[in-house]
mmCIF file of all heavy atoms in Angstrom:
data_model
loop_
_atom_site.group_PDB
_atom_site.id
_atom_site.type_symbol
_atom_site.label_atom_id
_atom_site.label_comp_id
_atom_site.label_asym_id
_atom_site.label_seq_id
_atom_site.Cartn_x
_atom_site.Cartn_y
_atom_site.Cartn_z
ATOM 1 N N ASP K 144 207.796 157.131 -73.895
ATOM 2 C CA ASP K 144 208.409 156.241 -72.910
ATOM 3 C C ASP K 144 207.454 155.840 -71.794
ATOM 4 O O ASP K 144 207.603 154.786 -71.188
ATOM 5 C CB ASP K 144 209.617 156.936 -72.259
ATOM 6 C CG ASP K 144 210.759 157.037 -73.243
ATOM 7 O OD1 ASP K 144 210.671 156.349 -74.279
ATOM 8 O OD2 ASP K 144 211.689 157.811 -72.976
ATOM 9 N N ASN K 145 206.511 156.731 -71.512
ATOM 10 C CA ASN K 145 205.634 156.498 -70.359
ATOM 11 C C ASN K 145 204.314 155.835 -70.721
ATOM 12 O O ASN K 145 203.493 155.589 -69.854
ATOM 13 C CB ASN K 145 205.320 157.837 -69.686
ATOM 14 C CG ASN K 145 206.585 158.564 -69.321
ATOM 15 O OD1 ASN K 145 207.385 158.053 -68.566
ATOM 16 N ND2 ASN K 145 206.787 159.733 -69.909
ATOM 17 N N ILE K 146 204.116 155.613 -71.991
ATOM 18 C CA ILE K 146 202.799 155.126 -72.418
ATOM 19 C C ILE K 146 202.916 153.751 -73.071
ATOM 20 O O ILE K 146 203.704 153.571 -74.007
ATOM 21 C CB ILE K 146 202.166 156.157 -73.382
ATOM 22 C CG1 ILE K 146 201.816 157.420 -72.570
ATOM 23 C CG2 ILE K 146 200.927 155.613 -74.070
ATOM 24 C CD1 ILE K 146 201.368 158.575 -73.377
ATOM 25 N N PRO K 147 202.157 152.780 -72.565
ATOM 26 C CA PRO K 147 202.214 151.441 -73.178
ATOM 27 C C PRO K 147 201.525 151.444 -74.540
ATOM 28 O O PRO K 147 200.784 152.372 -74.851
ATOM 29 C CB PRO K 147 201.437 150.585 -72.173
ATOM 30 C CG PRO K 147 200.511 151.524 -71.500
ATOM 31 C CD PRO K 147 201.180 152.858 -71.477
ATOM 32 N N ALA K 148 201.752 150.409 -75.313
ATOM 33 C CA ALA K 148 201.131 150.342 -76.640
ATOM 34 C C ALA K 148 199.635 150.096 -76.522
ATOM 35 O O ALA K 148 198.838 150.588 -77.326
ATOM 36 C CB ALA K 148 201.787 149.235 -77.450
ATOM 37 N N THR K 149 199.261 149.313 -75.512
ATOM 38 C CA THR K 149 197.829 149.049 -75.312
ATOM 39 C C THR K 149 197.501 149.076 -73.819
ATOM 40 O O THR K 149 198.368 148.915 -72.969
ATOM 41 C CB THR K 149 197.416 147.655 -75.865
ATOM 42 O OG1 THR K 149 198.160 146.672 -75.185
ATOM 43 C CG2 THR K 149 197.601 147.548 -77.354
ATOM 44 N N LEU K 150 196.218 149.285 -73.556
ATOM 45 C CA LEU K 150 195.709 149.269 -72.178
ATOM 46 C C LEU K 150 194.358 148.587 -72.216
ATOM 47 O O LEU K 150 193.686 148.555 -73.258
ATOM 48 C CB LEU K 150 195.474 150.697 -71.683
ATOM 49 C CG LEU K 150 196.579 151.447 -70.965
ATOM 50 C CD1 LEU K 150 196.092 152.851 -70.645
ATOM 51 C CD2 LEU K 150 197.004 150.728 -69.685
ATOM 52 N N THR K 151 193.918 148.128 -71.056
ATOM 53 C CA THR K 151 192.548 147.630 -70.991
ATOM 54 C C THR K 151 191.962 147.978 -69.625
ATOM 55 O O THR K 151 192.682 148.368 -68.710
ATOM 56 C CB THR K 151 192.478 146.113 -71.291
ATOM 57 O OG1 THR K 151 191.115 145.738 -71.361
ATOM 58 C CG2 THR K 151 193.199 145.273 -70.255
ATOM 59 N N ALA K 152 190.655 147.912 -69.530
ATOM 60 C CA ALA K 152 189.998 148.254 -68.258
ATOM 61 C C ALA K 152 188.712 147.452 -68.158
ATOM 62 O O ALA K 152 188.216 146.905 -69.152
ATOM 63 C CB ALA K 152 189.673 149.735 -68.222
ATOM 64 N N LYS K 153 188.173 147.398 -66.904
ATOM 65 C CA LYS K 153 186.908 146.670 -66.741
ATOM 66 C C LYS K 153 185.783 147.397 -67.501
ATOM 67 O O LYS K 153 184.867 146.778 -68.026
ATOM 68 C CB LYS K 153 186.561 146.586 -65.254
ATOM 69 C CG LYS K 153 187.488 145.677 -64.477
ATOM 70 C CD LYS K 153 187.044 145.611 -63.027
ATOM 71 C CE LYS K 153 188.176 145.075 -62.164
ATOM 72 N NZ LYS K 153 188.147 145.556 -60.803
ATOM 73 N N HIS K 154 185.859 148.733 -67.509
ATOM 74 C CA HIS K 154 184.827 149.535 -68.183
ATOM 75 C C HIS K 154 185.490 150.616 -69.027
ATOM 76 O O HIS K 154 186.470 151.222 -68.579
ATOM 77 C CB HIS K 154 183.907 150.213 -67.155
ATOM 78 C CG HIS K 154 183.300 149.249 -66.200
ATOM 79 N ND1 HIS K 154 182.133 148.584 -66.448
ATOM 80 C CD2 HIS K 154 183.732 148.821 -64.986
ATOM 81 C CE1 HIS K 154 181.854 147.787 -65.433
ATOM 82 N NE2 HIS K 154 182.809 147.912 -64.525
ATOM 83 N N ILE K 155 184.910 150.850 -70.184
ATOM 84 C CA ILE K 155 185.455 151.904 -71.060
ATOM 85 C C ILE K 155 184.331 152.887 -71.386
ATOM 86 O O ILE K 155 183.194 152.481 -71.687
ATOM 87 C CB ILE K 155 186.043 151.292 -72.347
ATOM 88 C CG1 ILE K 155 187.323 150.526 -71.967
ATOM 89 C CG2 ILE K 155 186.365 152.367 -73.384
ATOM 90 C CD1 ILE K 155 187.868 149.666 -73.049
ATOM 91 N N VAL K 156 184.667 154.171 -71.291
ATOM 92 C CA VAL K 156 183.677 155.197 -71.615
ATOM 93 C C VAL K 156 184.212 156.035 -72.776
ATOM 94 O O VAL K 156 185.307 156.607 -72.685
ATOM 95 C CB VAL K 156 183.392 156.105 -70.391
ATOM 96 C CG1 VAL K 156 182.308 157.115 -70.732
ATOM 97 C CG2 VAL K 156 183.003 155.271 -69.168
ATOM 98 N N LEU K 157 183.451 156.057 -73.862
ATOM 99 C CA LEU K 157 183.860 156.840 -75.038
ATOM 100 C C LEU K 157 183.272 158.240 -74.905
ATOM 101 O O LEU K 157 182.065 158.407 -74.717
ATOM 102 C CB LEU K 157 183.349 156.171 -76.318
ATOM 103 C CG LEU K 157 183.675 154.678 -76.465
ATOM 104 C CD1 LEU K 157 182.967 154.102 -77.698
ATOM 105 C CD2 LEU K 157 185.189 154.473 -76.564
ATOM 106 N N ALA K 158 184.138 159.253 -74.984
ATOM 107 C CA ALA K 158 183.677 160.634 -74.794
ATOM 108 C C ALA K 158 184.524 161.563 -75.660
ATOM 109 O O ALA K 158 185.067 162.557 -75.184
ATOM 110 C CB ALA K 158 183.790 161.015 -73.315
ATOM 111 N N THR K 159 184.606 161.245 -76.951
ATOM 112 C CA THR K 159 185.540 161.980 -77.814
ATOM 113 C C THR K 159 184.918 163.221 -78.464
ATOM 114 O O THR K 159 185.578 163.887 -79.274
ATOM 115 C CB THR K 159 186.127 161.052 -78.903
ATOM 116 O OG1 THR K 159 185.040 160.351 -79.522
ATOM 117 C CG2 THR K 159 187.094 160.048 -78.315
ATOM 118 N N GLY K 160 183.669 163.509 -78.155
ATOM 119 C CA GLY K 160 183.093 164.791 -78.577
ATOM 120 C C GLY K 160 182.781 164.904 -80.052
ATOM 121 O O GLY K 160 182.572 163.900 -80.752
ATOM 122 N N SER K 161 182.803 166.139 -80.530
ATOM 123 C CA SER K 161 182.405 166.399 -81.923
ATOM 124 C C SER K 161 183.339 167.450 -82.524
ATOM 125 O O SER K 161 184.102 168.092 -81.817
ATOM 126 C CB SER K 161 180.972 166.927 -81.955
ATOM 127 O OG SER K 161 180.873 168.135 -81.227
ATOM 128 N N SER K 162 183.260 167.585 -83.841
ATOM 129 C CA SER K 162 184.062 168.619 -84.504
ATOM 130 C C SER K 162 183.240 169.248 -85.630
ATOM 131 O O SER K 162 182.223 168.679 -86.060
ATOM 132 C CB SER K 162 185.376 168.025 -85.015
ATOM 133 O OG SER K 162 185.118 166.859 -85.722
ATOM 134 N N PRO K 163 183.667 170.432 -86.112
ATOM 135 C CA PRO K 163 182.857 171.123 -87.115
ATOM 136 C C PRO K 163 182.695 170.299 -88.389
ATOM 137 O O PRO K 163 183.637 169.627 -88.829
ATOM 138 C CB PRO K 163 183.657 172.395 -87.419
ATOM 139 C CG PRO K 163 184.571 172.570 -86.264
ATOM 140 C CD PRO K 163 184.865 171.202 -85.742
ATOM 141 N N ILE K 164 181.501 170.383 -88.969
ATOM 142 C CA ILE K 164 181.263 169.732 -90.269
ATOM 143 C C ILE K 164 181.953 170.573 -91.341
ATOM 144 O O ILE K 164 181.824 171.795 -91.363
ATOM 145 C CB ILE K 164 179.739 169.647 -90.550
ATOM 146 C CG1 ILE K 164 179.078 168.665 -89.585
ATOM 147 C CG2 ILE K 164 179.459 169.286 -92.007
ATOM 148 C CD1 ILE K 164 177.565 168.603 -89.677
#
Side-chain angles (χ1 to χ4, degrees):
D144 289 346
N145 305 300
I146 291 172
T149 60
L150 269 177
T151 187
K153 290 182 197 151
H154 305 273
I155 290 169
V156 183
L157 309 173
T159 49
S161 61
S162 49
I164 291 174

